[in-house]
Structures are given as structure tokens and as C-alpha cells.
Amino acid sequence: MLDTAYEAEFDSIVDVVADICEVPIALISLVDGHRQWFKAVKGLDVPETPLESSICSHAILEGDLVEIEDTHADPRMDGNPLCVDDAGLRFYAGAVLRSPDGLPLGTLCVLDRCPRTLTDPQRKMLKVLAGQVMAQFELRRTLKQQAILHSEADHRIKNSLQMLSSLTRFQSRVSELDETREALDAVGQRIETMGRLHEVLQAGNVQTHVDLDDYLIRIVDFLTEQSPEHVMIDTALSHIRMTPSRAASIGIVLNEWVTNAYKHAFPSDRPGTIRVTVTDMGSGTAQLEVADDGCGTTVETPTRRSGLGTQITDAVAQALDGTLTADANAFGTRHRLLFAV
């Protein structure tokens, strides 16, 4: 918490405690090795003071609540530069901020330039609000720990995906059978598809929903790297939010259809374009379309292959409660997946 920016949650606490205790000055003070630093301050125009002038450094060594009715009459304040002159601080009351393991960190304190005494309700409220300060501290510590764990998990997932991808590529290169190499290449691309989703999740720390267009663009970038030189990919993607698992399913279908077009739509270095479109159809539905201007077929419905890719797209469509359609003619082939958002 040291040297972090002021925050409204803590500012409001010092405002409230100053009003309750009817004093002009209130602080959330943290005692460091050589200074006391203020996470929130009302009534003073300094962010910290040296430790030798800190009243809080005395308070945290005593009970849970320390009250000094008149600093001029208290021997602990002898020589304190904040208290010595007539305009100095004359009253202090501080509730210790104590960590769950009992370590005193500082105080929530109130001060005045004239002697005074708190009432019992004021003392009680000062301690209650000090507990709220510590609750906020612990919440921030927990969130930071979670962020560290999340970052470590992301790092391990990324490394695992990269290792799997590398092993798959290596095995593909050393395999002697064309069918084996083709299958391993397809597996490698599916791993890469999942890796792109992980990048989206990691970039935005997203847990519940992702931007489908952002995710699919990353997959298209990867597929463009794998494309034949004479084939281009064009995109028109509506902005749609989805859960990561459903977005991953859409990405798998996109990968299968584009890869299939590479293999079959552009023989003999035929130039062409694959257009990837995601359209928000309204009423909670959207459509993925992958269309090419390749060699196509002379029949209206393209022949469905029975390979692993077809089985995968069928399974994904079923999991999404989606509908698959396809059509083709001499000017190209078009595949569509209608799915719920």
C-alpha cells in the first residue's frame, strides 16, 4: 500500500471519521522504517512526515486505541516538532491498523490543534472504521495475490501450449506417411487456435466473456501465415461477446473451414480469396460464414467429406446448438454456421 495513489474508499473513511469525532484532521497513517506515510489525509497538506515526528509510531506500540488529550502534558511528545509550538497538534487519538497475524501497520487517527476528549461512541466508531480500513487493505492484498497466481497460471499454460505445438511440428517433420503428417499438422493448428484464445484471455484478464471478433482476427492472422502465397483472407466481423468456451468452438470451426479451403479450393496455384464473415443476426443469434472463390463444384451442394475435420465441425455445431449449411457452384464454396450468442 505504501506510495500508492489516493483512493476514494479511503478518502471517504477519513472524511467520515473527522466528522464523527468533530476534528479538523484525520489520517490513515502507515509507519515505515524511516517515515509515516498517509494513505488518506484530511486537514494536512503533506503526504508523509519523518518518523521522529510521528505520533503514530508511539501508538502502534501500545494498545488498540491510543488517546492523548493534550500533547503538551504527555512526556512521550516532548520535543516532537509537530507539537511544540502554540499552533502545533494538541490532541491525538489513533486506532491501530493491525494485520491478521497481529502486526501493527499504522493507525486511523484524528487530530486537533486544541486539547479535547473523545466520547465513548466516538472511540468505538474510530475502532470500527479502522477495521474497515484493514478490510480494504486485505481485499487489495488478496486481489494482488490472485493476479500473481493468474499470471503464473497464464505463463504455464502458454508454455504448455507452445511445447505441445513444437512437439507436434517436430513429429510431423519426421513422420514418413503423408496421412500422419497431415493429421499432425491439423492437430498443431488446433492447438494454435486454443493458444490464440488464451492470448485474448491473458491480454484482458477476461474470465467470463471475450470479444469474438478480436479472437477470430488472431486466428485469421495465424491462418494467413500458413496460407499459400496466391490465397488471401478477407474479414468482416461483427462485434459479439461470448463465453471463452463458445468462442473457442467458433474458432475451431473457422480453422477447419479455412484449412480445408487451402487444400481443395485453389489447385495448381490458382489465385483467390477466402472471405470470413461473422454477422449478428439479431434475436440472440449470429452466423459464421467462410466463403471462397475457388474451383467450387458443378453441383449446388458440395460433397461432404467424412474425415476428422467434418466430425469436429459436426460435433461443435451440436455443442453450440447450431446449424451447419453449405453450398457450392462453379464460382466457389460457402460454409455457414448459425449459432446462439
Side-chain angles (χ1 to χ4, degrees):
M1 298 300 299
L2 286 172
D3 298 314
T4 56
Y6 292 143
E7 299 178 58
E9 293 86 350
F10 298 107
D11 293 340
S12 64
I13 289 176
V14 295
D15 284 340
V16 168
V17 76
D19 290 342
I20 291 173
C21 295
E22 301 176 330
V23 296
I25 303 170
L27 310 168
I28 295 175
S29 173
L30 298 177
V31 178
D32 198 6
H34 61 281
R35 58 174 176 158
Q36 64 172 356
W37 176 82
F38 306 139
K39 176 59 181 174
V41 53
K42 178 179 182 178
L44 292 180
D45 57 0
V46 292
E48 62 181 62
T49 64
L51 197 59
E52 55 267 22
S53 62
S54 169
I55 305 176
C56 294
S57 62
H58 295 279
I60 65 172
L61 301 178
E62 302 185 20
D64 290 336
L65 178 67
V66 174
E67 183 176 353
I68 302 175
E69 298 178 7
D70 186 353
T71 59
H72 286 188
D74 192 301
R76 293 171 296 181
M77 299 298 105
D78 285 346
N80 188 312
L82 297 179
C83 305
V84 291
D85 57 31
D86 292 338
L89 300 173
R90 297 291 300 275
F91 168 77
Y92 173 90
V96 176
L97 303 174
R98 202 177 298 278
S99 70
D101 57 2
L103 180 67
L105 306 178
T107 67
L108 172 64
C109 60
V110 292
L111 304 101
D112 202 345
R113 300 189 186 279
C114 60
R116 65 164 54 243
T117 301
L118 294 183
T119 64
D120 287 340
Q122 288 172 333
R123 295 186 187 99
K124 180 178 180 180
M125 188 56 66
L126 186 59
K127 290 194 289 186
V128 167
L129 290 174
Q132 291 302 308
V133 171
M134 281 308 306
Q136 291 290 333
F137 282 179
E138 285 301 306
L139 174 61
R140 281 154 179 75
R141 184 172 74 161
T142 299
L143 291 175
K144 185 173 182 178
Q145 289 173 335
Q146 289 178 341
I148 293 171
L149 291 173
H150 181 72
S151 177
E152 178 63 22
D154 282 338
H155 181 69
R156 295 191 180 194
I157 292 171
K158 181 179 180 180
N159 285 347
S160 297
L161 290 171
Q162 288 177 340
M163 181 178 294
L164 282 172
S165 181
S166 298
L167 290 173
T168 303
R169 287 196 301 270
F170 173 77
Q171 192 62 49
S172 174
R173 287 196 298 269
V174 301
S175 297
E176 297 181 357
L177 297 177
D178 290 341
E179 291 183 356
T180 301
R181 285 196 296 272
E182 182 177 336
L184 288 171
D185 288 342
V187 170
Q189 287 204 328
R190 290 165 189 138
I191 293 172
E192 183 67 27
T193 298
M194 300 305 298
R196 298 292 163 138
L197 175 61
H198 177 68
E199 288 178 2
V200 174
L201 293 171
Q202 187 178 28
N205 288 325
V206 180
Q207 297 298 321
T208 58
H209 288 79
V210 297
D211 295 330
L212 182 63
D213 50 336
D214 183 20
Y215 172 46
L216 295 187
I217 280 293
R218 293 172 187 255
I219 296 177
V220 168
D221 289 343
F222 166 69
L223 291 170
T224 299
E225 296 171 2
Q226 316 301 316
S227 70
E229 293 184 0
H230 52 282
V231 178
M232 306 291 292
I233 302 181
D234 189 18
T235 60
L237 308 177
S238 296
H239 180 70
I240 296 172
R241 298 277 291 171
M242 313 184 62
T243 63
S245 60
R246 293 177 70 82
S249 298
I250 303 299
I252 289 172
V253 173
L254 172 61
N255 177 78
E256 297 297 331
W257 284 347
V258 172
T259 303
N260 191 63
Y262 285 165
K263 294 178 182 177
H264 304 289
F266 306 100
S268 305
D269 294 336
R270 173 180 176 141
T273 300
I274 300 172
R275 182 168 179 80
V276 177
T277 306
V278 172
T279 306
D280 187 344
M281 308 296 287
S283 302
T285 61
Q287 179 177 269
L288 168 69
E289 178 179 287
V290 176
D292 66 69
D293 57 2
C295 61
T297 180
T298 57
V299 297
E300 292 185 357
T301 302
T303 302
R304 283 183 57 81
R305 294 172 170 78
S306 58
L308 178 60
T310 298
Q311 297 176 38
I312 289 174
T313 54
D314 287 346
V316 168
Q318 183 176 1
L320 292 172
D321 292 326
T323 303
L324 291 169
T325 58
D327 58 78
N329 53 40
F331 302 102
T333 303
R334 180 168 53 187
H335 295 270
R336 296 191 186 95
L337 170 62
L338 185 69
F339 57 92
V341 177

